[in-house]
Amino acid sequence: MSEFDQVRTANYATQFRATLDWPVLAIAVALVSVVAWDLALLWLAVKLCRIMFLS
């Protein structure tokens, strides 16, 4: 493999890795946000039920 081919292959790998990381990171952040909202709403529902039924 020539030096040009090695550089070109490295550039393609770097570009592919860069394009792969952003969507994966965005999906991970979105999932964490959704789970955090679900937990917050569940906590709020439990608090409201405690106030209404145990008071």
Side-chain angles (χ1 to χ4, degrees):
M1 185 182 284
S2 71
E3 183 179 345
F4 175 74
D5 288 336
Q6 288 176 351
V7 170
R8 187 177 60 180
T9 303
N11 284 341
Y12 285 150
T14 303
Q15 289 172 2
F16 178 72
R17 194 177 322 121
T19 57
L20 186 64
D21 286 346
W22 284 110
V24 170
L25 183 63
I27 290 171
V29 168
L31 284 175
V32 168
S33 299
V34 167
V35 169
W37 272 107
D38 287 343
L39 288 175
L41 290 175
L42 182 64
W43 178 81
L44 182 62
V46 168
K47 287 288 186 183
L48 289 175
C49 286
R50 280 186 174 175
I51 290 170
M52 293 186 69
F53 296 116
L54 296 178
S55 297

